[in-house]
C-alpha cells in the first residue's frame, strides 16, 4: 500500500470509531438513562436490560447477539462480512461500556444534556443515532443487528429491505409493552425516535439502502473502468456518444453502484481525472447480479413420486 492509501485507511477507521461513539451516545446518553427504547438491535438490547433489572447490560447483549447473527448469516447465505463491520460492532460495544460509566453525559437532572421536556429526548437521540450510523454506512461499515436479519429475509422472500426494517422496528418498540412498568406512551417515545432516525439518515447518506446510477464523462474512462472492474467487483457499460458542440465522439461510463461504494468511487474518479464530469441519480430498485434478485419466495423442490412432477 502507498503512504496515501495507508493514511486514507487510518482516517476511515478513525472516522468509523468516532461514528460508533456518536451512534452509541443516542442510547447511553439519552434513551437508556430515561428508560426509553426504540427500534433496531440496540432497542432490543435495552429491553433486555430493563427486563433483567440491569443484570444484562445492553453492551453485552448487543455484542453477543451480533456475534450469533454473523455466524448464522455466514452459514445460511455465505455473506462475506468485511472487517469494517466487525470493527464497528466491537467499537460500538466498547463505546457503550465507556459512555455508560460517564454519568456527566447522561440526560438526567443536573447534567449538561438534561431536558425537562421528555419528548425532546427521542428526537435528539434519533439525530445522534442517524448521524453516527450514517457516517458508518458512508465509510463502508455496518453496525450489524437488524441489517443482518433484513438481508437474510430479503434473500429468500420478495420483501423489500425497508419493509423488514419497518416491521422489525415496530415489533421491537411493541415489546416494551411486555414490561410491567412500561405503558403505551413509553412505546410512542420509541416510535418518535424511529421516525426522526429515518428522516435524518436520508440527509446524512442519501438513504441508507439506496443504489445509484452514475454517468461519467472522462478522457481517462479506461482507467476508471478498470478500477471498478478489478477493485470494486462492479460492472461498467461504455456508451458511445457525441459531443454536439465539438462534434467529437465520446465514451461515457454507465455505472450502477450501491450507496456504500459511492464515496469510494467518487474519490477514485477525482484522483484519476479531476476534470471528469459526473452525473449521479438515486434509484429506488436495482435487480440483477450484485444487487437484488427478483424473488417470488423460497422454491420448495418436491421429488417426483407416483408420476407427480417437480414444482
Amino acid at each position: 500500500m502507498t503512504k496515501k492509501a495507508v493514511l486514507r485507511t487510518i482516517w476511515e477507521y478513525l472516522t468509523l470509531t468516532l461514528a460508533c461513539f456518536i451512534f452509541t451516545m443516542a442510547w447511553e446518553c439519552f434513551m437508556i438513562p430515561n428508560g426509553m427504547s426504540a427500534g433496531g438491535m440496540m432497542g432490543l438490547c435495552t429491553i433486555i436490560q430493563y427486563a433483567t433489572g440491569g443484570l444484562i447490560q445492553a453492551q453485552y447483549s448487543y455484542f453477543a447477539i451480533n456475534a450469533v447473527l454473523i455466524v448464522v448469516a455466514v452459514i445460511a447465505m455465505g455473506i462475506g462480512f468485511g472487517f469494517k463491520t466487525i470493527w464497528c460492532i466491537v467499537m460500538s460495544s466498547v463505546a457503550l461500556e465507556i459512555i455508560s460509566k460517564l454519568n456527566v453525559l447522561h440526560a438526567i437532572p443536573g447534567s449538561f444534556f438534561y431536558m425537562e421536556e421528555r419528548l425532546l429526548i427521542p428526537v435528539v437521540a434519533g439525530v445522534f443515532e442517524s448521524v453516527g450510523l450514517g457516517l458508518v454506512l458512508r465509510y463502508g461499515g455496518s453496525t450489524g443487528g437488524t441489517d443482518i436479519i433484513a438481508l437474510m429475509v430479503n434473500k429468500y422472500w420478495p420483501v423489500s429491505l425497508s419493509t423488514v426494517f419497518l416491521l422489525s422496528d415496530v415489533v421491537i418498540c411493541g415489546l416494551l409493552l411486555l414490561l410491567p412498568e412500561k405503558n403505551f406512551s413509553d412505546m410512542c417515545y420509541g416510535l418518535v425516535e424511529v421516525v426522526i432516525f429515518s428522516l435524518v439518515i436520508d440527509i446524512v447518506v442519501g438513504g441508507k439502502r439506496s443504489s445509484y446510477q452514475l454517468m461519467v464523462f472522462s478522457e481517462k474512462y479506461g482507467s476508471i473502468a478498470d478500477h471498478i472492474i478489478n477493485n470494486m467487483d462492479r460492472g461498467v457499460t461504455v456508451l458511445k456518444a457525441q459531443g454536439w458542440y465539438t462534434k467529437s465522439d465520446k465514451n461515457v461510463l454507465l455505472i450502477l453502484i450501491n450507496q456504500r461504494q459511492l464515496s469510494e468511487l467518487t474519490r477514485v474518479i477525482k484522483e484519476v481525472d479531476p476534470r471528469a464530469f459526473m452525473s449521479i441519480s438515486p434509484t429506488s430498485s436495482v435487480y440483477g447480479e450484485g444487487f437484488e434478485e427478483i424473488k417470488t419466495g423460497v422454491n420448495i423442490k418436491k421429488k417426483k413420486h407416483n408420476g407427480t412432477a417437480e414444482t
Side-chain angles (χ1 to χ4, degrees):
M1 296 178 66
T2 64
K3 181 179 179 181
K4 187 174 183 180
V6 171
L7 291 176
R8 183 170 64 243
T9 301
I10 293 174
W11 170 255
E12 288 178 353
Y13 277 90
L14 286 175
T15 304
L16 287 172
T17 302
L18 175 62
C20 289
F21 273 82
I22 296 174
F23 164 71
T24 54
M25 282 182 67
W27 294 94
E28 287 294 351
C29 292
F30 300 99
M31 300 295 282
I32 294 178
N34 289 279
M36 296 181 181
S37 183
M41 185 55 63
M42 273 304 304
L44 178 60
C45 293
T46 57
I47 293 175
I48 293 174
Q49 177 172 328
Y50 301 151
T52 59
L55 181 63
I56 302 178
Q57 295 290 311
Q59 58 266 33
Y60 305 131
S61 58
Y62 175 82
F63 182 81
I65 294 174
N66 270 308
V68 173
L69 283 176
I70 289 177
V71 173
V72 172
V74 170
I75 294 174
M77 301 174 59
I79 297 177
F81 288 98
F83 185 74
K84 286 183 177 179
T85 298
I86 305 298
W87 177 268
C88 289
I89 292 174
V90 173
M91 285 297 101
S92 295
S93 301
V94 172
L96 287 167
E97 178 68 19
I98 294 174
I99 298 175
S100 67
K101 307 297 183 184
L102 300 176
N103 292 333
V104 68
L105 295 179
H106 297 176
I108 55 179
S111 74
F112 176 77
F113 287 120
Y114 174 66
M115 289 171 282
E116 187 174 353
E117 178 54 62
R118 283 180 62 83
L119 184 59
L120 290 176
I121 295 172
V123 172
V124 175
V127 173
F128 269 78
E129 184 180 11
S130 58
V131 171
L133 186 55
L135 288 173
V136 167
L137 293 171
R138 176 172 288 185
Y139 282 87
S142 171
T143 55
T146 51
D147 284 1
I148 302 174
I149 297 174
L151 286 172
M152 287 192 291
V153 172
N154 180 256
K155 181 176 177 64
Y156 296 106
W157 297 97
V159 181
S160 67
L161 291 174
S162 59
T163 301
V164 177
F165 277 91
L166 176 61
L167 291 175
S168 63
D169 286 345
V170 171
V171 169
I172 291 173
C173 287
L175 289 176
L176 198 65
L177 296 176
L178 298 178
L179 302 181
E181 69 276 12
K182 301 298 181 182
N183 53 41
F184 182 73
S185 64
D186 293 316
M187 185 189 75
C188 289
Y189 286 130
L191 294 176
V192 169
E193 199 274 352
V194 170
V195 171
I196 298 298
F197 169 82
S198 300
L199 292 175
V200 178
I201 200 167
D202 282 341
I203 300 174
V204 178
V205 295
K208 65 177 179 179
R209 290 164 198 90
S210 296
S211 297
Y212 293 88
Q213 176 180 285
L214 283 75
M215 297 188 71
V216 181
F217 303 78
S218 171
E219 297 296 332
K220 299 179 180 179
Y221 67 92
S223 299
I224 297 173
D226 287 341
H227 177 87
I228 296 170
I229 293 292
N230 298 325
N231 301 318
M232 301 184 69
D233 195 27
R234 288 294 181 193
V236 184
T237 300
V238 180
L239 304 177
K240 298 297 181 180
Q242 183 183 55
W244 195 245
Y245 180 76
T246 62
K247 300 301 189 293
S248 59
D249 293 334
K250 301 287 185 180
N251 289 307
V252 180
L253 300 181
L254 177 63
I255 308 159
L256 288 170
I257 199 167
N258 61 40
Q259 191 279 330
R260 294 183 182 181
Q261 293 177 305
L262 179 62
S263 59
E264 176 187 352
L265 179 57
T266 53
R267 182 175 63 246
V268 168
I269 293 174
K270 183 177 180 181
E271 291 175 353
V272 173
D273 184 7
R275 295 175 58 85
F277 181 83
M278 180 169 53
S279 171
I280 305 176
S281 302
T283 60
S284 58
S285 299
V286 179
Y287 299 98
E289 185 176 355
F291 293 91
E292 290 191 67
E293 298 179 4
I294 300 177
K295 297 171 287 293
T296 58
V298 177
N299 292 323
I300 302 175
K301 295 290 185 179
K302 295 182 179 180
K303 295 182 179 180
K304 292 182 179 180
H305 182 67
N306 296 330
T308 302
E310 288 185 329
T311 59

